[in-house]
Amino acid sequence: MGERCGGTEPTGTDERRLRKVARVVLLDPQDRILLLHGFEPDDPSSTWWFTPGGGLEGEESREEAALRELAEETGITDARLGPLLWRRICSFPFDGRRWEQDEWYYLCRTEQTSVRTGGGLTELERRSVAGLRWWTAEELAAATEPVYPTRLAELLRTLLVEGPPGAPVILETERV
């Protein structure tokens, strides 16, 4: 799904009702990050970039969901899941409803840089994902379209310079 979040207002949402989401900060051998290009299904002019990932299915763990979503959304199956980097709560309107999510971001590395969309996308994702792109940290910092999470360029720079944090960083709650 073309998931996003922005702003910094608290959601006031009961955590038990939050959709559990696993997201992937996928880096290639050149430290480029892979992002999906999303748009509102009823308004293709409203676009943004976001990390691969999505909601947990059944009894799967967040780690299992991260790798499954990565394969479904990008076709990348040769990836090494690393540590949990960041966590955030977000709330945003998308496809006629409000989504309330508890997102966990995992570092992931791959040598596989050829990607594809379409194969494993849900019907909603097919109506809201325009493609994929590898970004350098510099390109991400210069992006003119929204990127989610909103501090991704800064977070990526810190990750590349300092390495993964010793404990997951709790990001500000984001609300669109």
Side-chain angles (χ1 to χ4, degrees):
M1 158 185 16
E3 298 173 24
R4 61 183 173 161
C5 282
T8 56
E9 299 174 24
T11 64
T13 303
D14 181 354
E15 234 179 270
R16 291 170 296 188
R17 294 180 29 225
L18 293 173
R19 178 177 183 241
K20 293 180 180 179
V21 170
R23 298 199 115 11
V24 176
V25 176
L26 183 67
L27 301 180
D28 74 359
Q30 289 77 45
D31 285 336
R32 296 179 304 168
I33 186 171
L34 184 66
L35 298 178
L36 284 82
H37 197 205
F39 60 92
E40 182 64 45
D42 294 330
D43 181 9
S45 68
S46 176
T47 63
W48 57 88
W49 293 90
F50 65 103
T51 59
L56 277 63
E57 293 182 356
E59 298 296 317
E60 74 183 343
S61 69
R62 298 238 191 194
E63 294 86 356
E64 290 167 337
L67 291 173
R68 175 186 50 76
E69 287 283 341
L70 181 64
E72 289 174 358
E73 294 176 348
T74 71
I76 293 177
T77 56
D78 179 25
R80 295 176 314 282
L81 193 64
L84 176 62
L85 300 172
W86 316 309
R87 291 181 56 185
R88 77 168 180 167
I89 304 296
C90 66
S91 174
F92 56 94
F94 178 72
D95 195 39
R97 66 170 274 214
R98 177 153 292 276
W99 298 78
E100 309 279 350
Q101 300 191 153
D102 176 14
E103 298 185 337
W104 292 21
Y105 289 78
Y106 290 90
L107 177 60
C108 200
R109 290 273 186 183
T110 187
E111 302 287 324
Q112 181 182 342
T113 57
S114 64
V115 295
R116 60 136 179 88
T117 56
L121 297 181
T122 66
E123 183 272 333
L124 178 55
E125 288 168 335
R126 283 191 296 277
R127 293 189 299 117
S128 63
V129 174
L132 310 150
R133 177 180 162 198
W134 290 100
W135 296 73
T136 66
E138 295 76 26
E139 290 168 336
L140 190 57
T144 56
E145 289 179 280
V147 176
Y148 298 106
T150 54
R151 293 180 42 224
L152 186 57
E154 171 192 339
L155 292 165
L156 178 61
R157 271 194 314 274
T158 301
L159 174 64
L160 294 176
V161 170
E162 299 177 10
V169 174
I170 307 301
L171 304 179
E172 295 173 349
T173 295
E174 295 190 68
R175 181 176 175 83
V176 174

